[in-house]
Amino acid sequence: MIRIGNFPDTVNEYAARTVAGLVVILSLAAIITQSLWLVGALFYGFSARVLYGPKFSPFAKLAIHGIVPLLGLGSKIVAGPPKRFAQFVGVIFSGTAFVLLFFGQVFAFQSVLGVLVLFASLESILGFCAGCFVFGFLIKWGWIPEEVCEKCNNIQFAIKD
């Protein structure tokens, strides 16, 4: 049985950063080629990760079972809910980019994906997850109950390995 919303409670930070790197590559390819198919693939990947975690995401599978082991990156466990929130933000950006490109708004499409490239690059290269950062504030402000993620109360920016 496939359960919607089956995102893991914990995530391997190195796999998440690898997925972010793959998102950068696909996003840049989409910006350059203006391919609706590539933007659709990007949207699908974010949607799959939000709804099911890594189960149906080609990038997550490649990162978890291919790139991370191949590079010997190991495992650094972090809380899952902030990463899921970040993936949801990716759904919004990639979905918006898809609609903009579909309606021929090329500059707006490139701008939206450019922002996605910026934040995915920060995640991939520096280990700074902007969605996770915002998620921490949403908990502090009471917009997200602390019970959603007990491990998330002290999310801070830190440059990781």
Side-chain angles (χ1 to χ4, degrees):
M1 171 108 181
I2 297 172
R3 218 175 96 217
I4 292 178
N6 196 16
F7 197 90
D9 291 332
T10 59
V11 175
N12 181 350
E13 175 73 12
Y14 299 121
R17 289 176 69 173
T18 302
V19 169
L22 294 170
V23 164
V24 169
I25 293 166
L26 184 60
S27 296
L28 288 173
I31 289 170
I32 292 166
T33 64
Q34 298 175 18
S35 167
L36 202 55
W37 291 103
L38 291 181
V39 183
L42 192 63
F43 177 74
Y44 166 79
F46 279 116
S47 299
R49 288 187 295 278
V50 165
L51 294 173
Y52 303 106
K55 188 171 189 154
F56 298 111
S57 166
F59 279 179
K61 292 283 192 189
L62 180 60
I64 292 167
H65 302 295
I67 298 171
V68 170
L70 180 68
L71 298 178
L73 297 176
S75 182
K76 182 176 183 181
I77 303 302
V78 296
K83 296 293 185 185
R84 184 180 197 182
F85 177 77
Q87 295 300 312
F88 179 69
V89 173
V91 167
I92 293 169
F93 273 78
S94 60
T96 300
F98 184 89
V99 170
L100 289 169
L101 184 58
F102 182 81
F103 286 109
Q105 302 298 313
V106 176
F107 180 73
F109 146 76
Q110 291 172 326
S111 298
V112 168
L113 271 194
V115 171
L116 185 63
V117 166
L118 171 68
F119 286 109
S121 295
L122 289 172
E123 166 83 18
S124 180
I125 298 165
L126 299 178
F128 174 67
C129 175
C132 301
F133 185 76
V134 170
F135 189 86
F137 278 104
L138 294 176
I139 289 177
K140 279 184 183 178
W141 297 335
W143 292 15
I144 295 176
E146 287 186 24
E147 303 83 51
V148 169
C149 183
E150 294 296 328
K151 299 174 187 171
C152 301
N153 293 328
N154 293 317
I155 295 174
Q156 298 174 14
F157 171 65
I159 296 177
K160 299 172 184 98
D161 305 324

